[in-house]
Amino acid sequence: MTILVTGGAGFIGSNFIIDWLKVEDEPVVNIDSLTYAGNLDNLEVVGNDSRYCFYQYDIGDSIAIDELLLRHRPRAVIHFAAESHVDRSIADAERFIQTNIMGTVRLLESSRKYWSGLSARDSERFRFVNISTDEVFGSLTPELPAFCEDSSYQPNSPYSASKAASDHFVRAFYQTYGLPILTTNCSNNYGPYQFPEKLIPLAIVNAINNRAIPVFGDGLQVRDWLFVSDHCSAVRKILRSGRVGETYNIGDSCEKTNLEVVGTICDLLDLKRPLANHTSYRSLITHVPDRPGHDRRYALDASKLKRELEWKAEQTFEAGISKTVDWYLEDRSD
Ligand code: NAD
């Protein structure tokens, strides 16, 4: 048996593949078009593993994907590939439509064709796991309860709108064709291998290089944080035991303002790599004009996943953020 991962050279995909090969015997085929966000160095530790192989393909290249599915005959597709940065989506929405919507629809169509040609036994166990985000639900005011699986979709950025559209297509392929899909909506991830344009790696890398740490607006936007390996363990669990056609929120109720997160990073760096002049890294925090349409608060209720599949997160925020800072300090700070 084999699984196919898309976007495996990115942040979460590479963590997923590394963790998968540690805990499962099953081979992994990784397809990634290697945009600016894809980095094969992330996968150096598995490069020589005979259970791993890589193809530089675009998910929208139906001819290549059709042929690859027939060659490797995976029993599951785990779909991480996406354009994932909100600021880039504000500057250029079209690329997000191309990959997140068109690319996903083409991948669904390739998967459907492949799945419909499988034997009854293989088609019964085939799964298409769609990796989505809590951002599709929009923004919460402070008094509102966390998003649950049946909260309405109210995306506010071109990124979240494109992910919402792809989620709808995934659902439609289940309802229309019976393709055995599962969708996951996860909260904000952090950990090793994240491209330093997102809040946490940007803050760490800038601080280490004595550059300003930009914080949008008042910095009081709230995000719900999850260590990346906990996201990966949840996806494995959902692949193994999730109910076909269902969506599962993934998170661990860890709401923090951006300013709190950046402050924690500065405090850790003050301990781990004190500045020569004994000032705090907090002096580098610089407020910059807020992002247009910036969501104020995300919070995710993952009780369905915890209850039905008995998943639980292993990392506290304190332990996870300390590990993350250590990872970037180990000579990955440029
Ligand atoms: P990322 O930007 O780090 O990685 C995306 C990967 O997809 C890159 O390796 C890139 O080269 C590849 N890719 C992009 N377009 C492609 C295409 N057309 N064909 C093939 N490969 C392509 O993203 P990430 O943070 O690892 O996120 C992975 C998935 O998880 C995304 O779908 C994202 O929406 C979702 N997600 C992310 C977070 C988060 O906090 N980062 C939270 C919830 C959900």
Side-chain angles (χ1 to χ4, degrees):
M1 295 204 293
T2 297
I3 62 161
L4 179 89
V5 167
T6 73
F11 164 47
I12 305 173
S14 57
N15 276 283
F16 181 82
I17 290 173
I18 292 166
D19 287 1
W20 178 271
L21 291 171
K22 270 189 213 150
V23 298
E24 309 279 346
D25 291 331
E26 202 175 346
V28 183
V29 178
N30 174 17
I31 62 168
D32 194 301
S33 62
L34 298 182
T35 67
Y36 78 94
N39 183 356
L40 288 182
D41 291 347
N42 295 357
L43 293 153
E44 218 176 284
V45 286
V46 298
N48 292 325
D49 192 315
S50 58
R51 296 168 301 158
Y52 168 73
C53 68
F54 170 70
Y55 294 88
Q56 186 174 357
Y57 288 166
D58 191 299
I59 52 166
D61 182 348
S62 305
I63 294 172
I65 304 292
D66 289 352
E67 189 274 325
L68 186 108
L69 286 167
L70 288 175
R71 183 157 14 122
H72 286 280
R73 307 193 66 74
R75 57 118 182 159
V77 173
I78 322 290
H79 177 36
F80 292 95
E83 288 292 339
S84 69
H85 190 45
V86 174
D87 293 334
R88 287 178 190 259
S89 79
I90 293 168
D92 175 14
E94 225 175 285
R95 196 186 319 182
F96 286 69
I97 296 167
Q98 208 53 47
T99 287
N100 299 0
I101 308 177
M102 289 302 298
T104 297
V105 172
R106 288 197 178 144
L107 183 69
L108 281 165
E109 185 53 27
S110 294
S111 303
R112 184 188 71 79
K113 269 195 283 176
Y114 163 70
W115 164 75
S116 60
L118 293 175
S119 67
R121 196 178 123 256
D122 289 347
S123 87
E124 176 70 23
R125 73 176 175 195
F126 181 80
R127 298 286 182 271
F128 183 103
V129 183
N130 170 45
I131 308 296
S132 189
T133 163
D134 60 356
E135 302 194 25
V136 296
F137 298 120
S139 184
L140 289 166
T141 49
E143 72 287 357
L144 285 175
F147 296 120
C148 53
E149 283 78 2
D150 50 15
S151 295
S152 60
Y153 271 36
Q154 293 188 339
N156 292 321
S157 72
Y159 162 65
S160 53
S162 68
K163 291 295 290 186
S166 62
D167 291 2
H168 292 322
F169 275 102
V170 170
R171 176 187 159 87
F173 268 66
Y174 171 64
Q175 296 291 345
T176 307
Y177 307 109
L179 184 70
I181 63 94
L182 295 131
T183 285
T184 67
N185 296 91
C186 189
S187 59
N188 278 54
N189 284 214
Y190 66 98
Y193 304 113
Q194 190 167 24
F195 191 79
E197 63 184 355
K198 308 269 169 71
L199 179 73
I200 288 181
L202 180 70
I204 300 171
V205 170
N206 277 17
I208 294 170
N209 289 293
N210 209 20
R211 294 195 291 258
I213 304 171
V215 169
F216 279 131
D218 61 8
L220 299 181
Q221 306 86 354
V222 174
R223 301 294 179 258
D224 193 343
W225 292 98
L226 187 70
F227 192 63
V228 63
S229 60
D230 284 325
H231 184 182
C232 296
S233 75
V235 172
R236 291 197 302 276
K237 194 132 221 185
I238 289 163
L239 171 65
R240 195 177 319 124
S241 319
R243 283 185 289 134
V244 168
E246 291 288 316
T247 68
Y248 292 90
N249 285 350
I250 305 175
D252 197 32
S253 307
C254 177
E255 289 183 56
K256 300 209 175 290
T257 66
N258 288 349
L259 214 45
E260 273 178 274
V261 169
V262 169
T264 302
I265 290 168
C266 291
D267 296 347
L268 284 167
L269 285 170
D270 286 341
L271 290 172
K272 292 173 191 276
R273 187 180 284 185
L275 287 166
N277 55 10
H278 296 295
T279 54
S280 167
Y281 284 93
R282 282 179 183 260
S283 62
L284 294 171
I285 296 175
T286 307
H287 291 265
V288 298
D290 208 353
R291 169 191 279 163
H294 204 173
D295 287 336
R296 200 64 187 162
R297 174 176 167 239
Y298 302 137
L300 209 55
D301 176 347
S303 53
K304 174 178 174 182
L305 172 66
K306 293 178 180 179
R307 192 181 56 249
E308 283 189 14
L309 304 187
E310 296 176 346
W311 170 84
K312 67 178 188 355
E314 298 215 322
Q315 290 293 327
T316 61
F317 182 75
E318 291 65 33
I321 194 72
S322 178
K323 277 188 186 173
T324 306
V325 169
D326 288 343
W327 188 85
Y328 283 94
L329 280 174
E330 282 166 19
D331 204 23
R332 297 180 183 96
S333 50
D334 306 333

